[in-house]
Amino acid sequence: LRIVMAALQHSSVRAGLMPVYRRLSGLTGRQVGREQLLVTAQCTSVQGRYRSSRSREYLQESIVPSYHFQPSMPRLPVPKLSDTCGRYLASQQPMLDSTQLAETTRITREFEAKEGAELHNELLAMNEQNKHTSYISGPWFDMYLKSRLPVVLNYNPFMSFVDDPKAGYTEQLVRATNFVVSSARFMKSLREELLKPEIFHLGDRSKSKWFENIIRYVPSSVSWYGAYMVNAYPLDMSQYKNLLNSTRVPGIGRDEIVKHEDANHLLIVRNGHMYVFDVLDADGNIKQPAELQACLKYILSDESPPPSHPLGYLTAENRDTWARLRQKLLDCGNEETLKMVDSAIFCMCLDDGVGEDPDSLTRLMLHGDAANRWFDKSFSLIIDKSGTAAINFEHAWGDGVGVLRYFNEVFDDMSISPAVTPSCEAADIDSSQHVRKLEFNLDGAVKEGIETAKENFFNLVKPLDLGLLQYSRHGKNDIKKYKVGPDAIMQLAVQMGYHRLTGKTAGTYESCSTAAFKHGRTETVRPCTAETRQCSLAFDKIDSANVSELRQLIQACSDKHNSLTKNAAMGQGWDRHLFALRTIAEKNGGSPAIFQDPAFAAINHFILSTSTLNTPALHLGSFAPVVPDGFGIGYGVRDRELGYNITSYPASLDVRDFVACIESSLDDLFNVLYESSKAKSETEK
């Protein structure tokens, strides 16, 4: 063990960890075979779909407990202050002219020598005293939970599932039932620690039964190191504990994440009404799919008019305002009813509307009508009238790691082994005895608050503008053929596109998970670099430029981006470190000059906020801009297609012009890559 721990300090080990989050999407979900998807089964007994009654209950039955590696996960490193300051100045270089850069350099070096050094030592001491967690976990939770902005658009993103290609399986009731059953199987697997631990495998040995049979007996206090010895890297799963049965509850000044581990009911929202029903029976077993289908059918057949004051609007309100109104709800005698909402496994929203195209689908899943939402739940599974489904998730409790695992596992399970088929009939039961429709007592103040929240909600979402680029001329296969990074090319196209639109550079954010470490959250990759700026300027003169020189510039951008991504995944960015130091300074009543520097504010004004998730189960994803004059840029890379789903507000530049500039940038990049490759081949001949 001492040898292994010593080895962890070696750069080769850190290099081994590097691919863990470069290929995060490859960790979860199986590629579903076409032959499996195209089988349309008759409605048979659900028991016949599984090897045993036990396997019916669980999505997975891992012999290695889900949280087996948590106690021995390596801790997120605190970077050296000198490294952080150097990286910060490197990120400022393309943003500033020579005079501004000189001033920011002076301020930064003074900070490094004086206040920064003191704050850094204080951070190291705090980190040493809190070995059970990471230095960023607490401040990061506070950052989200202390924000008073509405969670809708400001924080909650969405991810939509690809449609089921089998005829009839996207019918709303059928798909909702299959989601419920597969979600229950996922829940039971996680609760009983039968869900496979999240592991990034760099070899085949750790994928074998031999590895599982050995590692299960290695004490949790050292199990991570045992996995490392066979080239396997377990990932942090602490966020999974808040994936289900949790809710963000508003409070004055700071919200809290509330967890109810033993609740077995779902929250269903339809037409502004709320319903709950248990998915497990009295013995803790999943109810028969036909019974669950009957409950959902009962809810879908409810023809009650929408409530005059739907509570969902409150979850889209300013958090302090919502906290005061929630207290009024409690004062009106709604404590038990609100607990049913808060403690539900998750929220399922059954919509009567349809996302007919990418624009309407994005609007429906990103915000929809808050009357039929409860944005505070850990996540909401939204299913429209046509059966198109998506997840909208609250961001304070976690990042994309746990959500993506659920997303993939449940999609795979219901695609390969659906619990019900289009020919299945709901059970002939009195569903009114199983489904409870939630009723709330509302006084005049609450009703007035809901009316105001409704008005504020529509004022918030109405200005949102959207732009979509589906680029089918090239895809990941072409990018890899040219030996440059796919993510680097997607980010370079954004930088070039923005430069073509404005002639400027902008503060740019790309999220990178640090789940290779205990209680890791994210680190920021800064895609705007000196290399991307030089490349953007050179492509402005593409007609007179040398193809070979342009190709070298593209390669330099790719190499730099890959290096930044590697550093971020290893906790070696600068954003989280400076964030932690600033938090300590504010707590101590100080305000160092580096944080008052206009250049610091400018680089953290994220005009270009970007994020990507790549998985076969994902159809579309998006989020809103994080600043009024910015763009929210969700993008995806597929084998033969590239895509961007971009949001903006009126204060920003026209999103369609920006999309056009990104598209022309992609064209130019691929033309140079092709011409350079062609010239190289001819030379070799």
Side-chain angles (χ1 to χ4, degrees), residues 40 164-176 178 293 386-387 420-424:
T40 303
D164 194 316
K166 301 188 297 294
Y169 279 82
T170 55
E171 193 273 325
Q172 190 178 33
L173 177 59
V174 173
R175 202 167 201 204
N178 283 322
Q293 186 176 14
S386 70
V420 299
T421 71
S423 61
C424 288

Side-chain angles (χ1 to χ4, degrees), residues 190-240:
L190 182 59
R191 282 185 178 181
E192 299 181 35
E193 292 201 46
L194 295 173
L195 192 72
K196 292 181 179 181
E198 195 82 54
I199 302 176
F200 184 79
H201 302 275
L202 284 179
D204 292 331
R205 291 180 68 196
S206 60
K207 298 178 183 178
S208 67
K209 288 294 182 184
W210 169 86
F211 169 74
E212 293 180 353
N213 285 321
I214 295 296
I215 202 68
R216 65 189 290 198
Y217 293 113
V218 177
S220 291
S221 59
V222 295
S223 56
W224 188 93
Y225 305 105
Y228 163 75
M229 293 175 73
V230 292
N231 226 12
Y233 297 90
L235 303 178
D236 179 74
M237 292 182 66
S238 60
Q239 295 180 17
Y240 284 58

